[in-house]
Amino acid sequence: MESQHVSRGPVPHGHVTLSQVAQRAGVSAQSVSNALNNPDRLAPATLERILATVAELGYEPNLSARALRNRSSHLIAFKVRPSRPDKASLLMDEFLYALNRSAVAAGYHLILCHAEGEGSTEEIKAYRDLLKKTPVDAFVLAETHRNDDRVAALRSWGVPFATFGRSWDGDDSLAWVDVDGRAGTRAATEHVVAQGHRRIGHVGWLAESEIGQERREGWLEACRERGLPTDLQAAVADTLEDGRQAAHRMLDAPEPATALVCASDTLALGVLRALHERGLRPGVEVAVTGFDDSPTAALVSPGLTTLRQPIDVVGRQLIQAVENLIAGDPREPQHVLLQPDLIVRGSSLPGPRPSTATP
Amino acid sequence: MESQHVSRGPVPHGHVTLSQVAQRAGVSAQSVSNALNNPDRLAPATLERILATVAELGYEPNLSARALRNRSSHLIAFKVRPSRPDKASLLMDEFLYALNRSAVAAGYHLILCHAEGEGSTEEIKAYRDLLKKTPVDAFVLAETHRNDDRVAALRSWGVPFATFGRSWDGDDSLAWVDVDGRAGTRAATEHVVAQGHRRIGHVGWLAESEIGQERREGWLEACRERGLPTDLQAAVADTLEDGRQAAHRMLDAPEPATALVCASDTLALGVLRALHERGLRPGVEVAVTGFDDSPTAALVSPGLTTLRQPIDVVGRQLIQAVENLIAGDPREPQHVLLQPDLIVRGSSLPGPRPSTATP
DNA sequence: CTGTTAGCGCTTTCAA
DNA sequence: TTGAAAGCGCTAACAG
């Protein structure tokens, strides 16, 4: 195979063009183009011959030329953000891999954006600059929030995009994929109830976080339904230290918590640190659960019970969503709410610590 | 600013082209192009006027057109790999951010590659397919090893590339950036020696790993120089479970280890689990050090002493290296060996546990 | 120092 | 059903 390089001098990267294929197949360039983009316009025999030649020469359409002509680069843009050192990796790693895998499977490539700092102004500027330079087919946004400027900007430019994070403004025209934090926290709460806990605290995020509120409500509902007290709760920033301090408060309460359901692995790890400082054994004296199944959760001892987001499905659905948008699918944009999986590890189990690690 | 949209109907993404700038500035398209690419060919006055117009209209050159013309896309390709769940995030997250930031600063964009599985055959195919579709300016490879097929392939295609990971074949024509694992492990060993330890084991990677060998040698040298025994060593795969088992072995030895220097955070976390199982306190009874400063290291209790790779510098240097290559810099390709920083946390300190978290 | 010409590889007209 | 012409936006090579 790959027999085209026959004494023609240094062919860079084996550049094969449409017209070379055409020449070889004895047809016009246009027919080759049609074979690839509008196969039904060709006679079956011609089509077959052209396709064979395409395969023989290993031809791949030049993206730049296509982009120039079609104003479509087959590129999907995504902004990577700095991983904060004090946080359990919010699975960006995994997410990016999943997103890219699906993008490539759909014939796209991921192009990365950069914006300094946290503000959306910088990010929007980065998007705009990129759009000026190249006709990006779609954007994928992560971590949406209420009144998200980025959503407004992209919409005003008419660029297709989908978000990892639901529309918090009740905006049905947004294509989004999200994970059900409420159901997840509820599952975690029910799990510790099943372990016999009745005094269950919640270490959650600040009230301005929509995600945090969702997760808090899952805990609230589960407790209320069972007539359990809900007075032990904290609304703090997502740092280890905040989790640690919240835990100390709830363990210093007149009627201390025996289980702490947290809004994130980071907070849960702070709780574990507090337990460590007090000489309390996770799972045995105090059950702890996190959220995200960050790599850390499986690596601490004992392992941290947490909620795993089906991140590969998220990636697939996001690509699916932008594909539909790009194709101009007239149907309502997709809204996909996925269920997280409760991963039970030692931090919430009173039983004897398993002597082998999680397989 | 941005006053160009004056009743001209729906201008998509504010498309401004070279000729529009030329028209507005009253010069030819070529002069605008020169203003941007060969400013010295223009009269200062003309240059200034053109640049002013460029700024006024917010013009950005179309990458596809440039790529088509120049065979240079201003794209740098990088393959993301799946993060393995049993590993402390190998800082890919951070690395990608750093690499992208530097790429963007240098006027490039990162485009992601995908290859299923671990084999380099798939990866090479992905590179090749990408090259057929678009004239990627350079590649960045991570995790090089001896006889790396990818290096051979890229070289045979004549594409510029740089690697995160040195040339293990003693190949001086390779541009690489790496972190000194030997010096790092040595620093960790010397640190535990300074804490009074004399019986120091090493939990390292299998012998086929060049990186692992480097790290092992740092420990070996430090011990030998001080006349300390080096009989406690393990060469295992990089998993939590392997680290755990190795730790148990070294603690079951007739003269058990009092300190364990590990080749990775993952292994160190396995060691911590073993200590946990035996009721030994990290730092107090047995000192433990890792390597990588993965997010997990700061989050476990006590914190894990480890070696931080200067990942932002790595990213910057890699981009620098490919920039030089792209520019056809005749000098020897860059070889950059960076020093990791020892981050001391509770896992190697016998002293009283600090009551507040690391700031 | 500045402008004209041509063409990178592709696909949307439109004609044959 | 197939082909010819034109042009997407840019820049290298040449004239002027």
Side-chain angles (χ1 to χ4, degrees):
Chain A
M1 53 189 78
E2 304 252 27
S3 55
Q4 74 271 38
H5 294 181
V6 197
S7 63
R8 275 211 268 143
V11 179
H13 314 337
H15 261 0
V16 182
T17 71
L18 195 73
S19 39
Q20 287 175 35
V21 177
Q23 214 170 341
R24 175 106 193 196
V27 295
S28 75
Q30 186 50 44
S31 291
V32 179
S33 173
N34 282 335
L36 265 24
N37 304 312
N38 309 85
D40 33 313
R41 288 192 199 165
L42 291 181
T46 328
L47 177 61
E48 196 185 345
R49 186 156 42 94
I50 295 178
L51 259 25
T53 313
V54 165
E56 181 201 350
L57 300 187
Y59 167 73
E60 293 275 352
N62 180 313
L63 282 189
S64 310
R66 266 197 173 169
L68 190 56
R69 185 63 248 220
N70 296 343
R71 303 186 175 297
S72 152
S73 58
H74 274 71
L75 249 30
I76 295 175
F78 179 74
K79 192 205 79 155
V80 287
R81 32 125 263 233
S83 57
R84 306 221 208 107
D86 63 333
K87 292 202 181 181
S89 158
L90 294 179
L91 63 163
M92 265 306 143
D93 221 11
E94 250 184 295
F95 174 63
L96 208 54
Y97 177 76
L99 191 68
N100 187 233
R101 175 226 273 277
S102 295
V104 168
Y108 292 87
H109 282 276
L110 238 46
I111 185 171
L112 264 29
C113 287
H114 173 81
E116 213 66 44
E118 299 272 313
S120 60
T121 317
E122 283 271 7
E123 187 171 338
I124 291 171
K125 186 176 176 318
Y127 291 166
R128 210 187 146 63
D129 285 350
L130 186 61
L131 271 176
K132 280 182 177 178
K133 289 192 251 190
T134 196
V136 168
D137 285 5
F139 285 77
V140 170
L141 304 190
E143 303 179 359
T144 51
H145 50 79
R146 199 174 290 278
N147 290 322
D148 202 314
D149 291 347
R150 305 171 301 168
V151 169
L154 288 171
R155 187 165 286 159
S156 78
W157 301 333
V159 197
F161 68 98
T163 66
F164 179 11
R166 73 196 74 175
S167 157
W168 297 103
D169 309 308
D171 178 352
D172 273 355
S173 64
L174 185 69
W176 55 259
V177 180
D178 206 348
V179 174
D180 193 339
R182 178 193 303 248
T185 320
R186 169 190 280 273
T189 309
E190 287 169 349
H191 162 70
V192 295
V193 167
Q195 305 304 310
H197 295 278
R198 293 292 173 270
R199 192 79 180 119
I200 304 165
H202 180 253
V203 183
W205 290 339
L206 296 168
E208 60 250 39
S209 160
E210 289 87 2
I211 303 176
Q213 290 294 21
E214 278 278 317
R215 295 185 183 176
R216 175 172 291 113
E217 277 164 23
W219 162 79
L220 259 179
E221 289 172 6
C223 287
R224 283 195 184 135
E225 284 170 14
R226 287 163 183 76
L228 299 176
T230 59
D231 56 310
L232 290 177
Q233 53 178 302
V236 298
D238 189 37
T239 74
L240 182 105
E241 181 56 19
D242 280 292
R244 179 184 153 268
Q245 290 178 6
H248 277 307
R249 282 199 300 279
M250 294 190 192
L251 296 168
D252 286 336
E255 258 190 279
T258 68
L260 289 172
V261 170
C262 305
S264 75
D265 283 359
T266 304
L267 290 174
L269 289 159
V271 171
L272 290 182
R273 178 156 297 178
L275 298 187
H276 181 80
E277 287 163 358
R278 301 171 85 104
L280 296 173
R281 287 164 299 171
V284 183
E285 278 97 21
V286 179
V288 182
T289 71
F291 204 114
D292 271 353
D293 195 26
S294 59
T296 306
L299 298 172
V300 292
S301 302
L304 177 63
T305 292
T306 185
L307 288 141
R308 174 159 186 75
Q309 307 199 27
I311 212 71
D312 49 331
V313 183
V314 172
R316 209 178 319 137
Q317 293 285 352
L318 280 170
I319 295 298
Q320 179 72 258
V322 296
E323 266 194 283
N324 290 348
L325 253 23
I326 292 168
D329 191 319
R331 281 173 303 181
E332 182 81 341
Q334 285 180 244
H335 307 155
V336 182
L337 189 60
L338 299 166
Q339 295 305 312
D341 281 330
L342 183 72
I343 309 287
V344 177
R345 299 200 179 93
S347 73
S348 65
L349 294 176
R353 188 100 336 115
S355 68
T356 59
T358 338
Chain B
M1 50 191 79
E2 304 254 27
S3 54
Q4 74 271 37
H5 293 183
V6 198
S7 63
R8 276 211 268 144
V11 179
H13 314 336
H15 262 359
V16 182
T17 70
L18 194 74
S19 40
Q20 288 175 32
V21 176
Q23 213 171 341
R24 176 105 192 195
V27 294
S28 75
Q30 185 55 39
S31 291
V32 179
S33 173
N34 283 335
L36 265 23
N37 305 312
N38 309 84
D40 33 312
R41 288 192 198 163
L42 292 181
T46 329
L47 178 60
E48 196 186 345
R49 185 155 42 94
I50 295 178
L51 259 26
T53 314
V54 164
E56 180 201 352
L57 301 186
Y59 168 72
E60 293 276 350
N62 180 315
L63 283 190
S64 311
R66 265 196 176 169
L68 190 56
R69 185 64 246 222
N70 297 344
R71 299 184 176 297
S72 152
S73 59
H74 275 71
L75 250 29
I76 295 175
F78 179 74
K79 193 206 79 155
V80 287
R81 33 124 264 234
S83 57
R84 306 222 208 107
D86 63 334
K87 291 202 180 182
S89 159
L90 294 179
L91 65 164
M92 265 306 143
D93 221 11
E94 250 182 296
F95 174 63
L96 208 54
Y97 177 76
L99 191 68
N100 187 232
R101 176 226 273 278
S102 295
V104 168
Y108 293 86
H109 281 277
L110 237 45
I111 185 172
L112 264 30
C113 287
H114 172 81
E116 212 66 44
E118 300 271 312
S120 60
T121 317
E122 284 270 10
E123 187 172 337
I124 291 171
K125 187 176 175 317
Y127 291 165
R128 210 187 144 61
D129 285 351
L130 186 61
L131 271 176
K132 281 182 176 178
K133 288 193 252 191
T134 195
V136 169
D137 285 6
F139 285 78
V140 170
L141 303 189
E143 304 180 359
T144 51
H145 50 80
R146 200 176 289 279
N147 291 321
D148 202 314
D149 292 348
R150 304 172 301 169
V151 169
L154 288 171
R155 186 165 287 159
S156 77
W157 301 332
V159 198
F161 67 99
T163 66
F164 180 10
R166 74 197 73 175
S167 157
W168 299 102
D169 308 309
D171 178 352
D172 273 355
S173 63
L174 186 68
W176 56 257
V177 180
D178 207 350
V179 174
D180 193 338
R182 177 193 304 249
T185 321
R186 169 188 280 274
T189 309
E190 287 168 349
H191 162 69
V192 295
V193 167
Q195 306 303 310
H197 294 278
R198 293 292 172 271
R199 191 81 181 116
I200 303 165
H202 180 252
V203 183
W205 291 338
L206 297 169
E208 60 249 39
S209 160
E210 288 89 1
I211 302 176
Q213 290 294 22
E214 278 278 317
R215 296 186 182 176
R216 175 173 290 114
E217 277 164 25
W219 162 80
L220 259 178
E221 289 173 6
C223 287
R224 284 194 185 136
E225 283 171 15
R226 287 164 183 74
L228 300 176
T230 59
D231 56 309
L232 290 177
Q233 52 178 303
V236 299
D238 188 37
T239 73
L240 182 105
E241 180 57 18
D242 280 291
R244 178 184 153 269
Q245 291 177 6
H248 277 307
R249 282 198 301 279
M250 295 189 192
L251 296 168
D252 285 336
E255 260 190 277
T258 70
L260 289 171
V261 170
C262 305
S264 75
D265 283 359
T266 304
L267 289 174
L269 289 159
V271 170
L272 291 183
R273 177 157 299 178
L275 297 188
H276 180 81
E277 287 163 358
R278 301 171 84 104
L280 296 172
R281 286 164 301 170
V284 182
E285 278 98 20
V286 180
V288 182
T289 71
F291 204 114
D292 271 352
D293 195 26
S294 59
T296 306
L299 298 173
V300 292
S301 302
L304 177 63
T305 293
T306 185
L307 288 142
R308 172 159 187 75
Q309 307 200 26
I311 212 71
D312 47 333
V313 184
V314 172
R316 209 178 320 137
Q317 293 284 352
L318 280 170
I319 294 298
Q320 179 72 257
V322 297
E323 265 194 285
N324 291 349
L325 254 22
I326 291 168
D329 192 318
R331 281 173 302 181
E332 182 81 342
Q334 284 179 243
H335 306 155
V336 182
L337 189 60
L338 300 166
Q339 294 307 311
D341 282 329
L342 183 72
I343 308 288
V344 177
R345 299 202 180 92
S347 72
S348 65
L349 294 175
R353 190 97 338 115
S355 69
T356 58
T358 338

